[in-house]
Amino acid sequence: PEIRKRIYRMPLEVDAKTLDPAGIEDAYSWSVARRLFSTLVRHDPMLTLQPELAESWKLSPDGLTYTFHLRKKVRFHHGREVDSKDMAFSLSRVAKKRFWIVRQIDGAREYAEGKAEEIRGISTPDRYTLAIRLETPFPPFIQQLAMINCAAVPREKVISDENAFGRHPVGSGPFKFKEWLP
């Protein structure tokens, strides 16, 4: 299908603070970032949870482990395919910056406090599978994954210059960032 280029301009009363999903705390940043980034799941206009990057998901019978199967061929705006390691990386960043969102994940606290190298409750069995194990069952957890803070980011772009990423974001959402005019 032909992709038509369209421009989306958004006037804001106040400048966004950052477009780095993990660090977003304000509505202005959220409203712009929501158009640039994708999350595992998303709320539709009726607030029903729908798949976005996840093609499907399953919750284990004990209510502890969510297993997400990612859509294939979803690409970041710089061209690389989104994979499960990007999601694991993105959620780990949330643990450091907005801990309360992922506090239910097994090992998130130790990671956020610098006592662990990774979050033991997050695993990537293959390129398109992400498993998240909680410490105790918490049904609203999947709703939290729809928050823009949990959006997928390309790990190599953030690692290369995390400070610049908030002003020059690369997402996988419907719009590609072009420029920031304060």
Side-chain angles (χ1 to χ4, degrees):
E2 179 185 341
I3 297 176
R4 296 186 332 188
K5 292 188 177 186
R6 296 185 180 196
I7 296 173
Y8 183 87
R9 291 185 177 94
M10 177 179 277
L12 301 173
E13 292 178 27
V14 175
D15 210 11
K17 292 179 183 176
T18 182
L19 294 179
D20 180 346
I24 290 176
E25 299 176 335
D26 65 291
Y28 298 106
S29 299
W30 179 93
S31 63
V32 176
R34 196 43 153 150
R35 286 148 180 87
L36 304 174
F37 293 94
S38 304
T39 50
L40 287 167
V41 293
R42 166 176 254 187
H43 292 101
D44 68 15
M46 298 305 294
L47 300 181
T48 303
L49 210 56
Q50 300 293 329
E52 188 170 20
L53 287 175
E55 185 174 72
S56 64
W57 65 89
K58 181 174 72 170
L59 178 59
S60 63
D62 63 6
L64 291 177
T65 304
Y66 288 88
T67 303
F68 295 91
H69 299 283
L70 303 183
R71 295 181 192 278
K72 295 178 173 117
K73 299 181 182 175
V74 175
R75 300 200 172 276
F76 287 113
H77 299 142
H78 71 303
R80 186 176 62 74
E81 191 174 31
V82 178
D83 64 29
S84 59
K85 289 189 185 306
D86 292 307
M87 284 309 312
F89 175 80
S90 299
L91 293 173
S92 295
R93 294 182 72 236
V94 175
K96 295 273 187 180
K97 295 176 178 266
R98 307 281 290 150
F99 173 72
W100 69 270
I101 297 170
V102 296
R103 70 182 179 272
Q104 293 83 13
I105 300 176
D106 184 26
R109 181 171 303 282
E110 292 88 343
Y111 178 78
E113 293 173 352
K115 297 175 183 173
E117 296 284 321
E118 59 187 29
I119 300 175
R120 69 177 163 265
I122 297 178
S123 61
T124 55
D126 63 49
R127 185 177 175 136
Y128 300 106
T129 305
L130 174 73
I132 302 172
R133 187 180 67 251
L134 306 181
E135 291 178 344
T136 58
F138 185 69
F141 177 73
I142 194 164
Q143 302 289 333
Q144 291 171 200
L145 294 177
M147 295 177 70
I148 193 61
N149 304 96
C150 297
V153 297
R155 55 195 185 275
E156 72 280 0
K157 290 289 187 184
V158 174
I159 290 168
S160 71
D161 193 347
E162 187 168 12
N163 292 329
F165 190 78
R167 287 292 220 191
H168 304 281
V170 177
S172 59
F175 291 91
K176 180 179 179 179
F177 178 82
K178 183 175 179 185
E179 67 181 328
W180 185 320
L181 300 173

